[in-house]
Amino acid sequence: MAYLDELLELYREKKDEIERRLRDFSEVWDRDDKKIFAELCFCILTPQSKAQACDGIICKLEKNELLFKGSTRQLWPYLRYTRFYKNKSRYLMEARRLFSKNGKFAVKDWINAQDSRRTRDWLVKNVKGIGLKEASHFLRNIGFGDELAI
């Protein structure tokens, strides 16, 4: 019982910060498909890698358009700070092909905001490098999946 009391106290201390962060996530959906795609790529990179490093990598790749147009080998120098960077660079390329239509990104077309469980299952099945945990992270990070456990 003492552990539960400690947890509740910690939650009370962090409640405002948690709620602010969840509001930040809910605003991501209003951004363009490239930003949603960048968030997906971040989630592909993070397994067994440091999230902060992956965020920096995504920012650099976005800035120089390599995230959207670079080849697998062009990604390697940036991704070398992640674990399994050669595999993950291929996963990014496959995701780019999957979510591109006529040269434009269309990630939102694949997201069912009304059924995040079904969307999560679809992501796991169709996006190489995404498992249940990362699919749940992705959906949370774009403002969906409140009922999903991570």
Side-chain angles (χ1 to χ4, degrees), residues 16-138:
D16 291 341
E17 184 180 343
I18 292 167
E19 289 177 353
R20 181 185 48 76
R21 189 67 177 125
L22 290 173
R23 278 191 306 276
D24 291 346
F25 288 141
S26 69
E27 294 170 2
V28 173
W29 185 250
D30 295 330
R31 297 180 181 171
D32 67 11
D33 277 275
K34 278 187 167 184
K35 277 299 192 188
I36 303 293
F37 179 73
E39 186 61 44
L40 177 69
C41 291
F42 168 77
C43 291
I44 290 171
L45 294 185
T46 56
Q48 298 188 26
S49 299
K50 295 184 187 302
Q52 196 169 17
C54 294
D55 185 51
I57 291 165
I58 293 298
C59 288
K60 288 175 187 172
L61 291 173
E62 275 185 291
K63 184 178 179 179
N64 61 30
E65 290 288 313
L66 287 175
L67 188 60
F68 311 115
K69 297 178 183 174
S71 70
T72 303
R73 287 189 182 261
Q74 287 176 308
L75 299 179
W76 286 357
Y78 297 89
L79 271 57
R80 73 179 183 272
Y81 300 105
T82 66
R83 192 128 191 245
F84 311 115
Y85 71 95
K86 289 182 181 179
N87 289 339
K88 289 179 181 181
S89 65
R90 282 196 326 271
Y91 301 161
L92 296 183
M93 299 301 286
E94 290 179 31
R96 187 191 301 161
R97 280 191 291 278
L98 178 63
F99 293 110
S100 294
K101 286 184 184 176
N102 303 320
K104 293 191 176 210
F105 285 89
V107 183
K108 291 181 181 183
D109 292 352
W110 297 93
I111 307 295
N112 180 344
Q114 306 307 314
D115 192 344
S116 54
R117 287 177 192 224
R118 183 171 285 157
T119 300
R120 179 186 62 183
D121 292 343
W122 184 88
L123 289 165
V124 169
K125 184 178 178 182
N126 293 284
V127 180
K128 189 85 169 162
I130 291 283
L132 286 170
K133 181 179 173 183
E134 288 309 320
S136 297
H137 271 129
F138 170 66

Side-chain angles (χ1 to χ4, degrees), residues 3 62 141:
Y3 181 73
E62 275 185 291
N141 291 359

